[in-house]
PDB file of all heavy atoms in Angstrom:
ATOM      1  N   GLY A 195     134.579  84.596  84.908  1.00 90.00           N
ATOM      2  CA  GLY A 195     133.908  83.941  86.026  1.00 90.00           C
ATOM      3  C   GLY A 195     132.951  84.790  86.836  1.00 90.00           C
ATOM      4  O   GLY A 195     132.462  84.342  87.881  1.00 90.00           O
ATOM      5  N   ILE A 196     132.659  86.011  86.409  1.00 91.00           N
ATOM      6  CA  ILE A 196     131.686  86.843  87.122  1.00 91.00           C
ATOM      7  C   ILE A 196     130.286  86.314  86.860  1.00 91.00           C
ATOM      8  O   ILE A 196     129.908  86.066  85.708  1.00 91.00           O
ATOM      9  CB  ILE A 196     131.791  88.314  86.678  1.00 91.00           C
ATOM     10  CG1 ILE A 196     133.162  88.889  87.058  1.00 91.00           C
ATOM     11  CG2 ILE A 196     130.680  89.153  87.306  1.00 91.00           C
ATOM     12  CD1 ILE A 196     133.381  90.311  86.592  1.00 91.00           C
ATOM     13  N   ASN A 197     129.523  86.120  87.921  1.00 93.00           N
ATOM     14  CA  ASN A 197     128.153  85.624  87.790  1.00 93.00           C
ATOM     15  C   ASN A 197     127.254  86.779  87.356  1.00 93.00           C
ATOM     16  O   ASN A 197     126.818  87.591  88.171  1.00 93.00           O
ATOM     17  CB  ASN A 197     127.670  85.048  89.117  1.00 93.00           C
ATOM     18  CG  ASN A 197     126.355  84.300  88.997  1.00 93.00           C
ATOM     19  OD1 ASN A 197     125.464  84.708  88.253  1.00 93.00           O
ATOM     20  ND2 ASN A 197     126.234  83.211  89.733  1.00 93.00           N
ATOM     21  N   LEU A 198     126.980  86.866  86.063  1.00 93.00           N
ATOM     22  CA  LEU A 198     126.246  88.008  85.515  1.00 93.00           C
ATOM     23  C   LEU A 198     124.856  88.136  86.115  1.00 93.00           C
ATOM     24  O   LEU A 198     124.443  89.223  86.513  1.00 93.00           O
ATOM     25  CB  LEU A 198     126.148  87.886  83.991  1.00 93.00           C
ATOM     26  CG  LEU A 198     127.449  87.913  83.191  1.00 93.00           C
ATOM     27  CD1 LEU A 198     127.140  87.925  81.703  1.00 93.00           C
ATOM     28  CD2 LEU A 198     128.281  89.134  83.553  1.00 93.00           C
ATOM     29  N   LYS A 199     124.132  87.036  86.137  1.00 94.00           N
ATOM     30  CA  LYS A 199     122.758  87.103  86.620  1.00 94.00           C
ATOM     31  C   LYS A 199     122.699  87.545  88.073  1.00 94.00           C
ATOM     32  O   LYS A 199     121.837  88.323  88.466  1.00 94.00           O
ATOM     33  CB  LYS A 199     122.060  85.756  86.443  1.00 94.00           C
ATOM     34  CG  LYS A 199     121.697  85.448  85.006  1.00 94.00           C
ATOM     35  CD  LYS A 199     120.819  84.207  84.899  1.00 94.00           C
ATOM     36  CE  LYS A 199     120.382  83.976  83.453  1.00 94.00           C
ATOM     37  NZ  LYS A 199     119.517  82.775  83.328  1.00 94.00           N
ATOM     38  N   ARG A 200     123.624  87.054  88.897  1.00 95.00           N
ATOM     39  CA  ARG A 200     123.636  87.451  90.313  1.00 95.00           C
ATOM     40  C   ARG A 200     123.864  88.956  90.444  1.00 95.00           C
ATOM     41  O   ARG A 200     123.159  89.629  91.202  1.00 95.00           O
ATOM     42  CB  ARG A 200     124.721  86.693  91.061  1.00 95.00           C
ATOM     43  CG  ARG A 200     124.802  87.058  92.546  1.00 95.00           C
ATOM     44  CD  ARG A 200     126.028  86.444  93.188  1.00 95.00           C
ATOM     45  NE  ARG A 200     125.996  84.988  93.086  1.00 95.00           N
ATOM     46  CZ  ARG A 200     127.060  84.218  93.340  1.00 95.00           C
ATOM     47  NH1 ARG A 200     128.211  84.759  93.683  1.00 95.00           N
ATOM     48  NH2 ARG A 200     126.958  82.906  93.251  1.00 95.00           N
ATOM     49  N   TYR A 201     124.837  89.468  89.707  1.00 95.00           N
ATOM     50  CA  TYR A 201     125.142  90.894  89.772  1.00 95.00           C
ATOM     51  C   TYR A 201     123.974  91.728  89.250  1.00 95.00           C
ATOM     52  O   TYR A 201     123.621  92.770  89.823  1.00 95.00           O
ATOM     53  CB  TYR A 201     126.412  91.207  88.983  1.00 95.00           C
ATOM     54  CG  TYR A 201     127.660  91.172  89.831  1.00 95.00           C
ATOM     55  CD1 TYR A 201     128.280  89.962  90.119  1.00 95.00           C
ATOM     56  CD2 TYR A 201     128.196  92.333  90.365  1.00 95.00           C
ATOM     57  CE1 TYR A 201     129.422  89.917  90.909  1.00 95.00           C
ATOM     58  CE2 TYR A 201     129.341  92.296  91.155  1.00 95.00           C
ATOM     59  CZ  TYR A 201     129.941  91.076  91.425  1.00 95.00           C
ATOM     60  OH  TYR A 201     131.057  91.052  92.218  1.00 95.00           O
ATOM     61  N   GLN A 202     123.369  91.309  88.148  1.00 96.00           N
ATOM     62  CA  GLN A 202     122.277  92.084  87.575  1.00 96.00           C
ATOM     63  C   GLN A 202     121.042  92.046  88.465  1.00 96.00           C
ATOM     64  O   GLN A 202     120.431  93.074  88.731  1.00 96.00           O
ATOM     65  CB  GLN A 202     121.954  91.556  86.177  1.00 96.00           C
ATOM     66  CG  GLN A 202     123.029  91.894  85.151  1.00 96.00           C
ATOM     67  CD  GLN A 202     122.755  91.292  83.787  1.00 96.00           C
ATOM     68  OE1 GLN A 202     122.334  90.141  83.674  1.00 96.00           O
ATOM     69  NE2 GLN A 202     122.993  92.059  82.745  1.00 96.00           N
ATOM     70  N   TYR A 203     120.667  90.874  88.949  1.00 97.00           N
ATOM     71  CA  TYR A 203     119.508  90.764  89.831  1.00 97.00           C
ATOM     72  C   TYR A 203     119.682  91.631  91.077  1.00 97.00           C
ATOM     73  O   TYR A 203     118.787  92.397  91.466  1.00 97.00           O
ATOM     74  CB  TYR A 203     119.293  89.304  90.242  1.00 97.00           C
ATOM     75  CG  TYR A 203     118.300  88.552  89.382  1.00 97.00           C
ATOM     76  CD1 TYR A 203     118.675  88.025  88.154  1.00 97.00           C
ATOM     77  CD2 TYR A 203     116.983  88.371  89.792  1.00 97.00           C
ATOM     78  CE1 TYR A 203     117.778  87.327  87.364  1.00 97.00           C
ATOM     79  CE2 TYR A 203     116.071  87.678  89.021  1.00 97.00           C
ATOM     80  CZ  TYR A 203     116.474  87.151  87.802  1.00 97.00           C
ATOM     81  OH  TYR A 203     115.574  86.475  87.024  1.00 97.00           O
ATOM     82  N   LEU A 204     120.852  91.480  91.727  1.00 97.00           N
ATOM     83  CA  LEU A 204     121.089  92.192  92.982  1.00 97.00           C
ATOM     84  C   LEU A 204     121.031  93.699  92.790  1.00 97.00           C
ATOM     85  O   LEU A 204     120.347  94.406  93.543  1.00 97.00           O
ATOM     86  CB  LEU A 204     122.448  91.783  93.549  1.00 97.00           C
ATOM     87  CG  LEU A 204     122.900  92.520  94.820  1.00 97.00           C
ATOM     88  CD1 LEU A 204     121.931  92.249  95.955  1.00 97.00           C
ATOM     89  CD2 LEU A 204     124.316  92.103  95.211  1.00 97.00           C
ATOM     90  N   HIS A 205     121.711  94.208  91.775  1.00 97.00           N
ATOM     91  CA  HIS A 205     121.812  95.659  91.618  1.00 97.00           C
ATOM     92  C   HIS A 205     120.554  96.268  91.009  1.00 97.00           C
ATOM     93  O   HIS A 205     120.234  97.436  91.298  1.00 97.00           O
ATOM     94  CB  HIS A 205     123.057  96.005  90.810  1.00 97.00           C
ATOM     95  CG  HIS A 205     124.325  95.706  91.540  1.00 97.00           C
ATOM     96  ND1 HIS A 205     124.975  94.492  91.435  1.00 97.00           N
ATOM     97  CD2 HIS A 205     125.060  96.447  92.416  1.00 97.00           C
ATOM     98  CE1 HIS A 205     126.047  94.496  92.208  1.00 97.00           C
ATOM     99  NE2 HIS A 205     126.131  95.673  92.806  1.00 97.00           N
TER     100      HIS A 205
END
Side-chain angles (χ1 to χ4, degrees):
I196 296 177
N197 190 322
L198 297 186
K199 286 189 176 180
R200 180 189 300 167
Y201 268 82
Q202 289 176 318
Y203 265 81
L204 176 62
H205 292 91

